Structure formats: structure tokens, C-alpha cells
Amino acid sequence: MTLEHKFCQLGGDLVVVDGSTIEGYASLFGKSDQGGDTVEKGAYAASLRTSAAKRASIKMLWQHDPTEPIGVWDEVREDARGLWVKGRILTEVTRGREAAALIGAGAIDGLSIGYRTVKSRKDGKGGRLLSELELWEVSLVTFPMLPDARVGAKGDDPAAQTLREMAAVFDDARRTMARD
């Protein structure tokens, strides 16, 4: 069983309240990421039903590190646009305080999902159409892969745009090196 990650830069719909409550989209349907994968509408439905039935929570992690939980997702659901999350960063935890400060300053502006692919197919363009995913966690990350969405918590920050552009360059270089 392989755990994969799908990155999504936090969208303009992301809201940060009191530096610790966040809500917004962790994944957008129909948008191809920089790795060529596209999540289809309904891809999370079975996983979310299973999690609810087992009363298992989707974890909020720092940079996909399972030893660094930084908060709790109080609500995780699909809607017509994508995977919407609402949660609380635990500022009583050292890394949670750091994460809240970094988000507030605009230094961190990405979300990434940790999942296992259950069903997918090739899209004919070198990517995959992901139709069913087992969602494990949603992390706050430095470099997201879905550049169509971005943080809107403190307004547009030119430094955050520069970091997004650098992330795109690093991702392009990583893909080029992987092909060679």
C-alpha cells in the first residue's frame, strides 16, 4: 500500500480566523496539477463515508510528517468544487504555534493531501484521472503542486507569489531529473 501526496496551494477562499482556525479547499476537482494528475468529482466520497462510519479523523499534519500533528480537521467534505476542510491549528503545540505564525506572515500557503489511489486511469496526456482516493491526511506545506489556488488570509503578498514561482521551478526541475 503506497501513500501518495497531492499538493494544492491554498485558495483565495481560505479563511484564517484568530490565527488558528482555517477553512478552505484542500483539493480542486478537474484541475490538473503540476504532476499531470486530475482529481475527479466524487473521488473522496467513499473514503469520507468510511472514515465517518469508523469515527476516524483525517489528520492535520505539518509537511506530511506523521510525528508532527499540528491540529485537527473538524470538517472534511466534498462539494461541487473540491475537497473542503475546516479545522483548528493547535497553538498549544510548538509546531502548531510556528505554523500559525508562518501562515499569518504568508510564508506558508499550501495544503497537500496524503492518500492512496484506489481507482485511476490514464488521461491520454501522460497524467492520471483519479476517480477514487483513500484520504489519510491533509498537511500544511511549503511547496504545493496545484498553482490555481492560493492563500487569501492576509491579502496578496508579493513574497508569497515569489515562493509559488520558485516552487514551480523546483517541481519542473524535479520532473526533468526524474525523466533523465
Side-chain angles (χ1 to χ4, degrees):
M1 181 166 28
T2 302
L3 179 65
E4 298 180 69
H5 300 119
K6 179 75 46 220
F7 301 91
C8 178
Q9 200 160 344
L10 298 175
D13 294 333
L14 176 78
V15 177
V16 180
V17 180
D18 298 328
S20 62
T21 300
I22 60 175
E23 62 182 69
Y25 286 91
S27 175
L28 298 171
F29 298 138
K31 299 279 187 181
S32 180
D33 70 13
Q34 294 178 25
D37 288 343
T38 302
V39 177
E40 295 182 320
K41 186 176 180 179
Y44 302 101
S47 179
L48 295 176
R49 279 192 305 273
T50 300
S51 292
K54 293 181 178 179
R55 297 182 182 214
S57 64
I58 304 303
K59 305 303 181 202
M60 181 190 293
L61 301 179
W62 177 251
Q63 308 282 357
H64 295 295
D65 186 342
T67 67
E68 299 255 19
I70 59 166
V72 293
W73 294 115
D74 296 314
E75 191 173 349
V76 180
R77 63 177 164 80
E78 275 190 334
D79 63 17
R81 187 170 176 207
L83 183 69
W84 186 84
V85 296
K86 179 179 181 180
R88 295 168 283 128
I89 297 172
L90 300 178
T91 56
E92 299 83 2
V93 175
T94 300
R95 186 66 78 195
R97 279 192 303 279
E98 293 170 356
L102 290 166
I103 291 169
I108 295 291
D109 61 357
L111 284 180
S112 177
I113 59 172
Y115 65 96
R116 183 179 67 82
T117 301
V118 177
K119 291 181 187 174
S120 69
R121 63 187 184 283
K122 296 192 185 278
D123 67 1
K125 301 178 223 169
R128 298 181 300 171
L129 296 172
L130 306 175
S131 58
E132 186 176 344
L133 302 174
E134 180 183 341
L135 183 63
W136 290 17
E137 53 96 1
V138 178
S139 285
L140 294 169
V141 298
T142 307
F143 295 114
M145 282 184 63
L146 186 59
D148 290 345
R150 58 189 176 76
V151 167
K154 294 280 184 180
D156 288 334
D157 180 352
Q161 178 60 31
T162 300
L163 285 173
R164 285 190 288 278
E165 291 168 2
M166 288 175 54
V169 169
F170 289 138
D171 286 333
D172 288 343
R174 180 182 46 78
R175 279 193 302 279
T176 300
M177 290 174 25
R179 284 188 291 239
D180 295 339

